[in-house]
Amino acid sequence: MQKLDLITDFAEITHGAAITTPTHGWRAKCLQRLGRLDMPVPRTVAVSAAAVQAIAAGRSLDCAGVLACFGPDALVSVRPSPENPEWGGPSTVLNIGMNAARHAGLVLTHGQAAADALYLRFVQGYAVHVARLDPDMFEIAEPSAQALRDALRAYRDEMDEPFPEDPARQLAEVLRSMARAWAGTSARLLRQSKGAPEDAPLGLVVQEMVQGMGQGLSGTGVIQFIDPVTGLEQITGRFVGQSQSTDLNDVCEEALYLTRDPRGPSLEDLAPEIFATLARQGAACRAKLREEMQIKFTIDRNSLAVIDAVRVPRSSRAGLRIAVELAQDGIITREEAILRVEPRALSELLHPQVDPRGPRDVVARGIAASPGAATGRIVFSSAAAQASESRGEACILVRRETAPEDIRGMHSAVGVLTERGGMTSHAAVIGRGLGLPCIVGASDLSFDAKALTITSKSGRKFVEGDVITVDGTTGEVLAGATEMLPPALDDAFRTLLSWADDVRDIGIRANADTPADALVARNFMAQGIGLCRTEHMFFEEARLVAMREMIFADTPADRAAALARLLPMQRDDFVQVFEIMQGLPVCIRLFDPPLHEFLPHSREGMRELAEALDRPLSEVIRRAEALAEFNPMLGMRGVRLGIVLPEIYDMQAQAIFEAVIEVARRGGSIVPEIMIPLVSARREVELVKTRIDAVAARVRTAKLTDFAFKLGVMVETPRAALRAGDIAQHAAFLSFGTNDLTQMTYGLSRDDAGRFMNTYVQQGVFPEDPFHILDVDGVGELLLIGAERGRQTREKLTLSICGEHGGNPESIAFCRKAGFDYVSCSPYRVPLARLAAAHLALLDPNDGN
Ligand code: PEP
Ligand code: MG
């Protein structure tokens, strides 16, 4: 009667058994595939996920039935088999079934020492992991007959019963403990952090042990056929004599080389036939399992068994190369290769490195936790990082250690430096996830959280705002900015992205403000520039002076004179940008920020300015005060400035047109796109358009040549989105500036939101920071309204997004579904966007244009 209650939901893994990943987990399925490839896999039984769930709920498996699948003297192991290998699982338990009788048998086959060691190991593992006894009581340095007796006695003393002799009971207890561990809170949280659903199932595999201990060549090893960091072909792994599979995790000096090596004996030397078999099996795995696998094998008295195989754990770089090479070898399709590479993983490959040829002013060293290098100003809090980002200023977030609430600050920083932590600390894990250069555990820097300083061992002190460079590849913190090398984009990277370009159906442009940005954009194969913020061209020293003269001009004539000095500089920039982009579209945004941003803020700066302009300090101060606004972001900026001081836009238009002519003279060609910022009414566009047309006519006449250009509008105010139908009468294109549009839709300052954003997100007011992840419900609705109304007026209206959201896969999906022509994002996000767009085209082919 009782037997009827036992669960019998298990199956021996034979070639034809009905084993599937959802029912039995990936490991069970993988072992079946290895068996089908005729690999010497020991007999294995798969316990279904449903059975494991029932065991966790208190029911029992028919363990005698499971063991009947094996020989009468077999020992078995139990390994976890979740649906996805990334989700982990409870630790493997080996040598189940060991008791006095089997120990005696093993003494005959494997010798006394091996038999004692195996029995002892089982007692230890069982006592600690299954009976949950104190590990200290079972810590034994050297296995011996005495140590075994001690361990058995310690078990009996603690549990008030002898160590269980019945293999079925042992197995039942192991299964119960593994099922419960999987159901426990910490395991659940851990796997959820790796993307597992809350109720992710766990299968288990019970496998006949191959000892790896005893006479002849015996031991356990792992072998893989690619370098896990680069993805290049190379045999790596280890083999440890007289060992079992769990020993491979220990550091062990006696490990053998796998391939022939001048430094010592290798498996290839000692067992060339076994080595050759493994190499053949690796190739078979690659071809038939369509993956680079790491094979775990045991050699028991000269005979080989393959006990397990997993996908080779790999860096992003290696993952990309593996996918490309599998496709190039015809093992998987190009589409599959594209889908195998997670777009966000690309950012790790894209970061600049410190140029080794340049000087390095090293002030501290830490753990190189996330590769790439970045230069920025020190900030000590996430709020400061967010404020810095909204000012367009690169910053390095410096913390004692980071916590989950720092995630928004990390998003805003170009690099992270922490005093504490290791490779798996929060900063390191998140830094790698974001592709953010990161150094952790820089303990030779002393961090004063009150005074907001960091001090190097040699006494050099750094305060907020100081510029440092974080070299996340070497773990070195450098003072100041350094020469950087552009990222190494290898052939595999380029190949994958060219395949992605073949399938995607939405354009990807870059936001690039300077010729240097344009070069990066071009290097990453952006299809043009979607936003060139021209004011960024004015911040260089010489230009700033002319700019300030323009701001302080008393009369239109004075202003025209100052602008005349800016014109050639701006024209030269445009010539360079156009030439770099080689005919690809370039969308230039006319001057946008409030003028006071160009004035000095300190008294000292004002004095210097007074000197440079040859005016009294009091007048400079008065004029600066007159420019101050209560809400500068909602004041005289964007097109409002263009209408009140139209000479600025006139100069910019002239510079653009003259640059077009110059590029044409040099044999190139470009149709520039001129974009008017911060529009809220059609009349604004009409006024600017009339002047720009007039400038174009003047330049055409003066230069006796013709050229074309497009005029469009940047939709950054809710009113512009609502009135897009009207506005589109004068606009060839609309580009949604979702930074300002988010700011204005929420009535939430971009510069101040950092102060309370964490609280808002924590309390669920906003699901996410809307400046980081596009608010599809609110801002998104304005985008849809604007797009629809704009296209009603002008069917061929070009639509795009150019706010910071442009590079997020979620926003790309939204824009693609809404029928936008392209997204524009920062140059370093272009590859990610290209790949994300390809994923969307492959996964949702009906959503695209
Ligand atoms: C925007 O507002 O979305 C935008 C791209 O412009 P800026 O960030 O320069 O205001
Ligand atoms: Mg804007």
Side-chain angles (χ1 to χ4, degrees):
M1 184 67 214
Q2 221 180 352
K3 173 118 177 141
L4 286 181
D5 251 10
L6 294 176
I7 312 161
T8 53
D9 196 357
F10 59 85
E12 187 178 338
I13 304 183
T14 55
H15 290 8
I19 304 289
T20 69
T21 306
T23 53
H24 295 93
W26 72 271
R27 177 167 269 129
K29 188 69 210 168
C30 180
L31 287 167
Q32 184 180 47
R33 290 186 173 136
L34 298 180
R36 286 178 182 161
L37 292 176
D38 285 335
M39 295 201 187
V41 179
R43 196 174 286 257
T44 309
V45 167
V47 179
S48 76
V52 176
Q53 216 164 12
I55 296 169
R59 297 189 54 201
S60 302
L61 189 75
D62 175 11
C63 287
V66 172
L67 291 173
C69 300
F70 304 97
D73 295 328
L75 300 180
V76 296
S77 65
V78 182
R79 288 192 168 81
S81 180
E83 199 172 334
N84 181 327
E86 309 281 319
W87 299 347
S91 322
T92 298
V93 181
L94 304 181
N95 303 314
I96 300 158
M98 181 71 93
N99 55 22
R102 289 185 185 171
H103 174 248
L106 274 173
V107 172
L108 298 178
T109 52
H110 286 71
Q112 182 77 43
D116 288 349
L118 291 174
Y119 199 177
L120 175 62
R121 177 188 302 251
F122 178 57
V123 175
Q124 285 171 315
Y126 190 93
V128 174
H129 297 297
V130 181
R132 310 262 163 212
L133 298 180
D134 184 352
D136 290 349
M137 291 193 320
F138 293 88
E139 210 163 83
I140 292 145
E142 271 301 308
S144 66
Q146 186 56 45
L148 173 60
R149 282 192 293 276
D150 290 347
L152 286 166
R153 188 174 325 106
Y155 184 92
R156 194 185 52 218
D157 291 351
E158 281 300 304
M159 300 294 290
D160 278 339
E161 62 165 5
F163 189 79
E165 286 269 304
D166 174 14
R169 178 173 163 213
Q170 292 175 357
L171 179 60
E173 293 296 327
V174 168
L175 295 178
R176 189 184 51 78
S177 110
M178 290 174 86
R180 294 230 168 123
W182 179 257
T185 310
S186 49
R188 203 175 60 239
L189 289 177
L190 190 69
R191 64 179 177 263
Q192 277 181 289
S193 74
K194 294 174 183 161
E198 196 175 338
D199 56 353
L202 175 75
L204 292 168
V205 294
V206 183
Q207 187 178 68
E208 182 167 359
M209 289 291 304
V210 182
Q211 299 312 340
M213 287 185 167
Q215 297 90 353
L217 182 64
S218 294
T220 302
V222 280
I223 186 166
Q224 60 198 18
F225 303 88
I226 51 123
D227 179 316
V229 175
T230 61
L232 292 167
E233 211 177 313
Q234 188 185 9
I235 292 183
T236 56
R238 60 207 310 241
F239 176 78
V240 183
Q242 302 300 327
S243 76
Q244 295 194 314
S245 63
T246 46
D247 300 333
L248 286 168
N249 304 332
D250 303 338
V251 179
C252 170
E253 276 163 18
E254 294 105 60
L256 286 187
Y257 295 104
L258 290 179
T259 48
R260 231 155 251 148
D261 196 297
R263 290 167 295 178
S266 70
L267 185 65
E268 192 174 8
D269 287 324
L270 294 179
E273 273 171 29
I274 289 180
F275 181 81
T277 306
L278 282 168
R280 265 199 316 279
Q281 289 169 344
C285 270
R286 182 173 187 267
K288 300 290 185 210
L289 304 192
R290 307 176 333 119
E291 212 4 312
E292 284 290 352
M293 300 298 282
Q294 182 185 71
I295 297 175
K296 201 175 253 189
F297 61 96
T298 297
I299 301 176
D300 187 70
R301 294 164 294 161
N302 302 320
S303 109
L304 173 70
V306 169
I307 57 175
D308 200 14
V310 293
R311 277 174 85 243
V312 174
R314 58 198 69 179
S315 69
S316 303
R317 186 174 294 242
L320 189 151
R321 177 168 289 279
I322 291 168
V324 167
E325 292 190 350
L326 286 172
Q328 283 171 333
D329 292 346
I331 295 171
I332 62 174
T333 61
R334 288 180 175 187
E335 286 74 18
E336 191 168 350
I338 291 169
L339 290 172
R340 280 190 185 192
V341 181
E342 176 53 39
R344 288 198 158 91
L346 290 188
S347 48
E348 201 182 299
L349 317 182
L350 304 178
H351 286 278
Q353 308 286 344
V354 172
D355 188 337
R357 295 163 297 192
R360 294 173 81 87
D361 183 5
V362 179
V363 289
R365 285 191 174 77
I367 298 166
S370 177
T375 299
R377 293 186 184 281
I378 295 175
V379 293
F380 288 105
S381 71
S382 287
Q386 284 168 274
S388 177
E389 187 194 26
S390 62
R391 289 194 302 272
E393 232 173 64
C395 66
I396 306 284
L397 178 63
V398 180
R399 304 282 285 158
R400 178 149 283 156
E401 58 201 333
T402 62
E405 56 268 26
D406 285 315
I407 182 77
R408 268 157 258 285
M410 293 182 73
H411 272 292
S412 300
V414 296
V416 176
L417 167 65
T418 67
E419 184 192 5
R420 297 185 184 153
M423 272 314 261
T424 52
S425 64
H426 179 265
V429 172
I430 303 294
R432 285 195 295 277
L434 297 176
L436 200 61
C438 175
I439 298 176
V440 297
S443 50
D444 53 358
L445 277 179
S446 71
F447 180 93
D448 187 334
K450 270 210 184 117
L452 292 184
T453 57
I454 42 174
T455 310
S456 75
K457 255 191 181 154
S458 63
R460 289 172 71 179
K461 192 173 268 186
F462 296 85
V463 299
E464 189 145 26
D466 284 350
V467 173
I468 57 169
T469 297
V470 164
D471 185 345
T473 309
T474 62
E476 288 176 341
V477 184
L478 314 174
T482 56
E483 296 288 317
M484 296 277 184
L485 284 180
L489 303 177
D490 59 21
D491 51 333
F493 181 93
R494 289 181 184 281
T495 303
L496 186 85
L497 285 178
S498 74
W499 294 345
D501 289 346
D502 290 343
V503 298
R504 74 180 155 83
D505 51 16
I506 183 166
I508 311 288
R509 294 199 199 175
N511 294 352
D513 304 336
T514 59
D517 289 348
L519 264 178
V520 180
R522 182 84 198 136
N523 200 15
F524 287 146
M525 293 171 65
Q527 289 166 292
I529 293 179
L531 173 63
C532 175
R533 294 168 161 112
T534 45
E535 62 273 9
H536 288 189
M537 296 172 167
F538 295 128
F539 280 105
E540 273 174 34
E541 197 58 38
R543 299 165 181 215
L544 198 54
V545 174
M547 189 67 197
R548 286 170 172 171
E549 277 178 20
M550 193 276 292
I551 294 171
F552 279 87
D554 288 320
T555 62
D558 287 352
R559 189 171 307 120
L563 285 167
R565 286 181 52 206
L566 287 170
L567 177 94
M569 306 185 210
Q570 183 117 86
R571 185 179 52 217
D572 286 354
D573 286 336
F574 291 140
V575 169
Q576 283 187 59
V577 169
F578 293 161
E579 291 216 303
I580 291 165
M581 297 311 291
Q582 297 173 0
L584 290 173
V586 175
C587 180
I588 297 164
R589 178 180 76 183
L590 298 173
F591 193 87
D592 178 56
L595 289 179
H596 76 89
E597 284 193 10
F598 293 88
L599 298 182
H601 297 291
S602 67
R603 201 177 163 81
E604 179 56 20
M606 292 285 184
R607 216 186 44 72
E608 279 171 18
L609 179 58
E611 213 169 73
L613 299 177
D614 193 20
R615 290 179 187 234
L617 176 63
S618 59
E619 188 192 328
V620 169
I621 293 175
R622 188 174 46 75
R623 296 289 291 270
E625 278 170 2
L627 284 173
E629 293 175 302
F630 288 109
N631 276 319
M633 292 308 269
L634 299 177
M636 195 157 90
R637 55 169 285 222
V639 67
R640 299 158 196 173
L641 200 56
I643 286 171
V644 176
L645 300 174
E647 300 88 347
I648 302 178
Y649 283 7
D650 287 354
M651 179 280 284
Q652 292 197 293
Q654 186 179 341
I656 294 168
F657 297 144
E658 289 179 3
V660 170
I661 293 169
E662 174 59 21
V663 168
R665 194 186 62 77
R666 297 182 193 178
S669 110
I670 171 96
V671 178
E673 298 170 4
I674 300 178
M675 181 155 74
I676 313 173
L678 218 77
V679 165
S680 57
R682 185 183 68 177
R683 182 71 184 140
E684 290 168 327
V685 188
E686 275 168 2
L687 288 171
V688 174
K689 181 174 183 323
T690 308
R691 287 197 71 117
I692 289 184
D693 284 342
V695 174
R698 267 204 313 278
V699 174
R700 285 188 182 113
T701 313
K703 303 277 177 188
L704 296 174
T705 181
D706 199 10
F707 52 82
F709 69 96
K710 291 182 185 160
L711 187 73
V713 164
M714 190 159 177
V715 179
E716 296 171 282
T717 66
R719 195 175 190 282
L722 296 170
R723 304 304 301 161
D726 243 5
I727 288 170
Q729 287 174 11
H730 301 300
F733 60 89
L734 297 183
S735 189
F736 291 87
T738 45
N739 304 334
D740 271 310
L741 192 56
T742 300
Q743 163 164 272
M744 298 201 198
T745 303
Y746 279 84
L748 176 59
S749 156
R750 283 159 79 166
D751 306 296
D752 302 313
R755 291 204 190 164
F756 57 88
M757 190 56 75
N758 284 342
T759 315
Y760 255 52
V761 173
Q762 264 162 19
Q763 303 207 4
V765 185
F766 301 157
E768 269 297 342
D769 178 349
F771 289 107
H772 182 55
I773 301 285
L774 181 70
D775 158 43
V776 289
D777 299 332
V779 180
E781 187 174 359
L782 282 171
L783 259 58
L784 295 179
I785 291 172
E788 193 200 322
R789 294 185 183 172
R791 281 208 168 141
Q792 259 167 21
T793 301
R794 193 185 280 251
E795 206 187 322
K796 294 239 152 57
L797 185 71
T798 302
L799 294 172
S800 63
I801 177 177
C802 62
E804 290 308 310
H805 307 89
N808 287 342
E810 302 82 8
S811 323
I812 300 173
F814 181 88
C815 293
R816 178 173 172 265
K817 202 165 177 180
F820 280 32
D821 297 277
Y822 69 87
V823 299
S824 189
C825 54
S826 75
Y828 280 102
R829 291 173 71 82
V830 165
L832 182 162
R834 287 164 65 198
L835 187 57
H839 278 212
L840 292 166
L842 291 172
L843 296 172
D844 295 310
N846 298 328
D847 269 356
N849 284 316

